[in-house]
Amino acid sequence: MKKILSVIASVVIAITGILQAGALSVQAADYAAQLRNKGFPDSYVDSLVKLHSKYPNWIFEPLFTGIDWKTAVKGERSNHSNQLIEKISSYDSSMFCKCSKCYTNNHYVIQEADNWVSASESAVEYYMDPRNWLSEKYIFQFESTKYDGTQSKLGVESILNGTWMHDSLITYKTTSGSTKTYNSTTKYSDVIMKAANDSGMSAYYLASKIRQENGGAKATASAVCGTVSPFQGIYNYYNIGAYTGAKDGLSWAAGYLKTNKSTTLYAKYNSKTKKGEGTKTTISADQYMTWRANKGNYYYVRLYDEYGGYTEGKSGYVLVNDCRTTYLGDKSTGWGRPWTNPYKAIYYGAKYIAKNFTSQPSGYLQKFNVSPSSYYLYTNEYMANVAAATAESATTYNAYDKAGILKITKKFSIPVFENMPGNEENTVTSLSKVSGLKIKSYNTSSVSLSWNKVSDASRYQVQVYRNHKWTNYATTPSTNITVKGLGNFASYIFRVRAYTKSGSNTIYGAYSAKVKQLTKSNTIQKFKGESTNNSITLKWSKHSRAVGYRIYKYDSKSKSYKKYKDVKATSLKISNLKGNTKYKFKIAPYRNYNGSKVIGTKSGVLSVSTKNKQTAIKSAKSNSVKRIKVKWNKMSGVSGYEVMWSTTSNFKSNFLSNYVKPASKTSTTLKTAQSKKTYYVKVRAYKKSGGKTKYYSWSKTLKLKTK
């Protein structure tokens, strides 16, 4: 009997196992279909299904770049020094670039530090291909870098484990070389959590970034030790601005302090007189300095040479007013610099990253900027290390694992490129894939689409990619539609799929190939000009999506408007112009799109005339009763001068004028009707030629009281 029961139990267990396996297989198939429906190519699906089976709370979304794979790789390598790899023996030599610029005289060109060289095309392709990193350890390079309330100090400490920052108070070297503790309670994990909360950045991302850039058992890295000349006491935990090495980053963190004119460096500061004294050293304009302390109206500084290896010079005191402070303090350009302790470097550095990488919200996009919402494709990239995003992902994974939070809900935005090797478009056998999707027309707020008809389709679903996700715009029975309500000078991606009803079921076809379009720009508003006798200053309103502006100037020879200059600011002064001459201008915004500059809609014509030459009035005085003595500077090429005086400042009433000639005469005495009365005086030159009189501009107005 026991044998029979044992056999029955074994059969039941086997059947249960088969049923569970079958259920899991169905679930996996369903999830695979969901991924394909989102737009993931088949080459992504298997890896994501495996991750989902282990971490069902993880959410995967495709980030459609709209960029051809080969184009993206080429763009990232447009400057080979932007993609670096460590020259170590464990790497195959195929990972190192051997082009004529990166490999000379049988040696690889060192691009940074002692052993960093340019990565090869195959190395860039390897690290750039998202499909190589769809595992639980490396998926985190696609996780959002935005702050998440579930992140904890414990998780940050897990990331910092093994470094000098783990469970440690903030201790550092000051600008004078002494050792100081920030306070008795604040640890590195505390400032990282506060920086994350206030900046909106992920605390785990910040901690991983710091560990990747400058982590170690001891604080010996150049950017965090506080002892590197000439930037003693300066810190840069994220290596912001470290384009060719740590000293570049320290120069950035120090705030680029320099003199704005020739001035004096004093050896000492007298706290009683509040002035510099002692040995004086003359320093020229544009002399770079590292801030050391504030002393009254002076900075205590350390001089250094910006070029040639950052050579350290003398220390001393220089007047604050003689220094450029554009990149210091809490203003928008300052970011709290100089970063004279780790707290400032971590806190303000997080705010800088949040502000400057808004359109690149993942570690992957900060390394490979292929974000469809970015104006700076293949640039504005945080680090040159081609493997940085992958390495940071591993750090994050280990921290999540130790903190026991791997299974909580996490969102991953995974880039998908056009024409990736091994990608095959998803197909649905019941309906054909929409073909022939194209842009018919577009303006500032809409894009018109058309596509080929699909047999048996009853309607078509139109989707628009914006704000980092696909959204349903509308359905239509037609094979064309105008998508409205779009922003001007903005990039959008579109796709369409056919569907039909079969009983209670909806059968969808595969999405079409995607098309991308930049809408037209609005014209620049408040375009105006101000002039002098030899210059015109153009001013205009900022365009929210422009990275710069193109100024056109009318050319009388070709009778057309030609490009004059591209500028980033919202004003432009044009000098060395002819006086009393009309000039005509147009303006258009521009932005970067698909790696090239796109010019927006030109404005209407702005006509601005330069003024006539202005007479320089020297003085207007009353030395005797009812008399005004007026003097002015002589002007060449004129016939004489008109002098006007009035009891009203606008010269609209109670005014008289007197003509003075010849042109060599530069003074006159005016008679007034009243004594002890306020009068206003101005002068202008005139020239007679061919029976016509040409008047130059009035001088400034002088005010006086008669005797």
Side-chain angles (χ1 to χ4, degrees), residues 128-144:
M128 194 173 170
D129 191 336
R131 298 168 300 182
N132 292 331
W133 313 110
L134 301 183
S135 64
E136 61 180 316
K137 189 172 184 179
Y138 297 113
I139 190 75
F140 293 98
Q141 61 189 286
F142 308 116
E143 186 184 16
S144 171

Side-chain angles (χ1 to χ4, degrees), residues 430-431 456 458 499-508:
S430 56
L431 280 178
D456 300 324
S458 58
Y499 71 94
T500 189
K501 289 284 186 179
S502 178
S504 59
N505 297 323
T506 302
I507 300 173
Y508 290 95

Side-chain angles (χ1 to χ4, degrees), residues 6-301:
S6 177
V7 171
I8 293 172
S10 298
V11 172
V12 170
I13 291 171
I15 293 172
T16 301
I18 293 170
L19 291 174
Q20 288 177 341
L24 290 174
S25 177
V26 171
Q27 291 175 7
D30 288 345
Y31 189 67
Q34 291 179 35
L35 293 172
R36 292 188 177 97
N37 192 44
K38 285 184 176 182
F40 278 113
D42 282 342
S43 54
Y44 286 67
V45 171
D46 286 347
S47 297
L48 296 179
V49 168
K50 289 178 182 178
L51 286 173
H52 176 73
S53 66
K54 188 172 183 179
Y55 302 104
N57 292 321
W58 288 7
I59 300 170
F60 306 113
E61 297 291 344
L63 175 68
F64 297 102
T65 65
I67 307 172
D68 177 82
W69 169 248
K70 286 295 184 182
T71 300
V73 172
K74 183 179 179 181
E76 289 292 340
R77 298 188 75 239
S78 58
N79 188 337
H80 289 193
S81 62
N82 289 341
Q83 305 296 336
L84 303 184
I85 190 167
E86 194 171 10
K87 181 70 173 62
I88 54 180
S89 58
S90 59
Y91 282 150
D92 186 274
S93 62
S94 64
M95 302 293 276
F96 313 130
C97 183
K98 275 198 170 183
C99 76
S100 59
K101 292 183 178 179
C102 300
Y103 188 80
T104 60
N105 299 323
N106 295 319
H107 288 87
Y108 293 99
V109 176
I110 301 300
Q111 302 286 3
E112 186 176 311
D114 296 326
N115 60 339
W116 287 85
V117 300
S118 296
S120 66
E121 182 177 359
S122 60
V124 174
E125 287 181 330
Y126 174 69
Y127 284 104
M128 194 173 170
D129 191 336
R131 298 168 300 182
N132 292 331
W133 313 110
L134 301 183
S135 64
E136 61 180 316
K137 189 172 184 179
Y138 297 113
I139 190 75
F140 293 98
Q141 61 189 286
F142 308 116
E143 186 184 16
S144 171
T145 56
K146 296 180 180 179
Y147 180 70
D148 184 339
T150 64
Q151 296 165 356
S152 66
K153 180 178 176 180
L154 176 62
V156 171
E157 288 289 3
S158 296
I159 295 173
L160 299 180
N161 189 26
T163 73
W164 87 94
M165 296 172 281
H166 176 59
D167 198 27
S168 297
L169 294 174
I170 299 174
T171 302
Y172 61 98
K173 294 286 187 181
T174 67
T175 56
S176 62
S178 60
T179 301
K180 184 176 181 180
T181 299
Y182 185 75
N183 61 35
S184 61
T185 59
T186 303
K187 296 182 178 181
Y188 282 95
S189 55
D190 292 315
V191 64
I192 290 173
M193 288 300 297
K194 180 169 176 56
N197 183 70
D198 291 358
S199 68
M201 294 294 294
S202 162
Y204 298 160
Y205 167 79
L206 295 177
S208 298
K209 175 69 70 178
I210 291 171
R211 177 164 186 157
Q212 170 68 20
E213 293 289 334
N214 290 293
K218 296 182 179 180
T220 55
S222 297
V224 297
C225 65
T227 60
V228 174
S229 172
F231 304 109
Q232 293 92 327
I234 301 297
Y235 299 85
N236 192 342
Y237 275 63
Y238 306 103
N239 271 344
I240 297 170
Y243 304 113
T244 63
K247 283 194 176 184
D248 283 354
L250 290 173
S251 177
W252 191 98
Y256 301 127
L257 179 65
K258 69 177 182 178
T259 53
N260 54 31
K261 62 180 181 180
S262 295
T263 186
T264 301
L265 182 78
Y266 296 91
K268 299 178 181 179
Y269 175 78
N270 189 319
S271 58
K272 293 183 179 180
T273 62
K274 297 182 179 180
K275 291 185 178 180
E277 61 181 25
T279 303
K280 299 178 182 180
T281 301
T282 300
I283 51 178
S284 60
D286 298 325
Q287 169 65 56
Y288 277 90
M289 307 168 285
T290 306
W291 179 93
R292 298 187 65 181
N294 286 343
K295 291 290 184 179
N297 294 326
Y298 291 79
Y299 283 145
Y300 183 40
V301 299

Side-chain angles (χ1 to χ4, degrees), residues 546-608:
V547 298
Y549 306 89
R550 175 160 293 182
I551 305 299
Y552 297 88
K553 185 170 173 282
Y554 184 75
D555 180 66
S556 57
K557 292 183 179 179
S558 64
K559 295 184 179 180
S560 62
Y561 286 86
K562 293 188 175 182
K563 172 188 171 182
Y564 176 72
K565 193 172 187 180
D566 286 350
V567 296
K568 300 284 188 180
T570 54
S571 64
L572 175 66
K573 183 177 181 180
I574 304 172
S575 303
N576 301 318
L577 301 177
K578 293 181 180 179
N580 195 31
T581 303
K582 180 186 287 187
Y583 293 88
K584 294 190 290 186
F585 304 92
K586 291 184 179 182
I587 186 174
Y590 70 81
R591 58 165 287 183
N592 296 319
Y593 181 69
N594 283 347
S596 61
K597 184 181 291 185
V598 176
I599 311 300
T601 306
K602 291 181 183 177
S603 68
V605 177
L606 172 67
S607 297
V608 187

Side-chain angles (χ1 to χ4, degrees), residues 416-473:
V416 176
F417 298 86
E418 303 286 346
N419 302 315
M420 295 183 74
N423 268 358
E424 294 180 359
E425 290 292 340
N426 306 318
T427 58
V428 179
T429 57
S430 56
L431 280 178
S432 298
K433 174 182 174 180
V434 169
S435 63
L437 178 62
K438 62 182 179 180
I439 307 296
K440 290 178 60 180
S441 63
Y442 59 95
N443 56 33
T444 58
S445 61
S446 67
V447 173
S448 294
L449 308 168
S450 68
W451 55 91
N452 297 330
K453 184 178 180 179
V454 173
S455 299
D456 300 324
S458 58
R459 296 184 71 86
Y460 301 89
Q461 183 183 59
V462 180
Q463 288 195 330
V464 184
Y465 189 80
R466 50 183 159 187
N467 299 325
H468 308 293
K469 62 181 180 180
W470 284 103
T471 57
N472 293 328
Y473 175 72

Side-chain angles (χ1 to χ4, degrees), residues 268-539:
K268 299 178 181 179
Y269 175 78
N270 189 319
S271 58
K272 293 183 179 180
T273 62
K274 297 182 179 180
K275 291 185 178 180
E277 61 181 25
T279 303
K280 299 178 182 180
T281 301
T282 300
I283 51 178
S284 60
D286 298 325
Q287 169 65 56
Y288 277 90
M289 307 168 285
T290 306
W291 179 93
R292 298 187 65 181
N294 286 343
K295 291 290 184 179
N297 294 326
Y298 291 79
Y299 283 145
Y300 183 40
V301 299
R302 180 183 292 109
L303 306 184
Y304 70 88
D305 180 6
E306 170 71 351
Y307 305 100
Y310 297 101
T311 305
E312 182 176 340
K314 293 182 177 180
S315 288
Y317 299 86
V318 62
L319 280 167
V320 173
N321 288 340
D322 292 348
C323 300
R324 180 188 74 172
T325 58
T326 306
Y327 304 107
L328 300 183
D330 290 337
K331 49 185 174 286
S332 61
T333 55
W335 301 108
R337 291 177 284 178
W339 291 347
T340 51
N341 61 58
Y343 190 104
K344 291 177 70 175
I346 293 171
Y347 182 80
Y348 286 105
K351 288 196 168 186
Y352 176 86
I353 295 171
K355 174 69 174 178
N356 289 278
F357 293 93
T358 302
S359 62
Q360 297 160 253
S362 72
Y364 178 94
L365 291 177
Q366 290 183 15
K367 173 64 203 99
F368 303 112
N369 186 9
V370 292
S371 171
S373 61
S374 176
Y375 294 154
Y376 307 100
L377 282 178
Y378 319 129
T379 60
N380 196 50
E381 295 179 347
Y382 194 94
M383 68 293 279
N385 179 5
V386 74
T390 303
E392 288 176 10
S393 179
T395 300
T396 303
Y397 166 79
N398 291 331
Y400 285 172
D401 189 28
K402 290 178 181 178
I405 55 175
L406 274 174
K407 294 186 178 181
I408 66 174
T409 300
K410 300 182 183 302
K411 294 182 179 180
F412 303 91
S413 183
I414 306 170
V416 176
F417 298 86
E418 303 286 346
N419 302 315
M420 295 183 74
N423 268 358
E424 294 180 359
E425 290 292 340
N426 306 318
T427 58
V428 179
T429 57
S430 56
L431 280 178
S432 298
K433 174 182 174 180
V434 169
S435 63
L437 178 62
K438 62 182 179 180
I439 307 296
K440 290 178 60 180
S441 63
Y442 59 95
N443 56 33
T444 58
S445 61
S446 67
V447 173
S448 294
L449 308 168
S450 68
W451 55 91
N452 297 330
K453 184 178 180 179
V454 173
S455 299
D456 300 324
S458 58
R459 296 184 71 86
Y460 301 89
Q461 183 183 59
V462 180
Q463 288 195 330
V464 184
Y465 189 80
R466 50 183 159 187
N467 299 325
H468 308 293
K469 62 181 180 180
W470 284 103
T471 57
N472 293 328
Y473 175 72
T475 64
T476 176
S478 176
T479 56
N480 58 76
I481 194 171
T482 298
V483 181
K484 300 179 180 179
L486 305 178
N488 84 93
F489 221 24
S491 175
Y492 296 94
I493 304 173
F494 306 92
R495 66 180 183 181
V496 179
R497 66 176 174 177
Y499 71 94
T500 189
K501 289 284 186 179
S502 178
S504 59
N505 297 323
T506 302
I507 300 173
Y508 290 95
Y511 279 109
S512 66
K514 295 170 281 292
V515 294
K516 188 176 181 181
Q517 183 58 53
L518 181 71
T519 56
K520 292 182 179 179
S521 72
N522 287 338
T523 55
I524 297 298
Q525 301 299 304
K526 298 182 179 179
F527 186 36
K528 59 184 180 180
E530 300 172 353
S531 66
T532 66
N533 63 315
N534 63 357
S535 71
I536 291 175
T537 299
L538 303 175
K539 297 180 179 180

Side-chain angles (χ1 to χ4, degrees), residues 683-695:
V683 183
R684 67 176 176 180
Y686 67 90
K687 181 179 181 180
K688 289 190 174 182
S689 178
K692 295 183 178 180
T693 301
K694 171 185 175 182
Y695 288 95

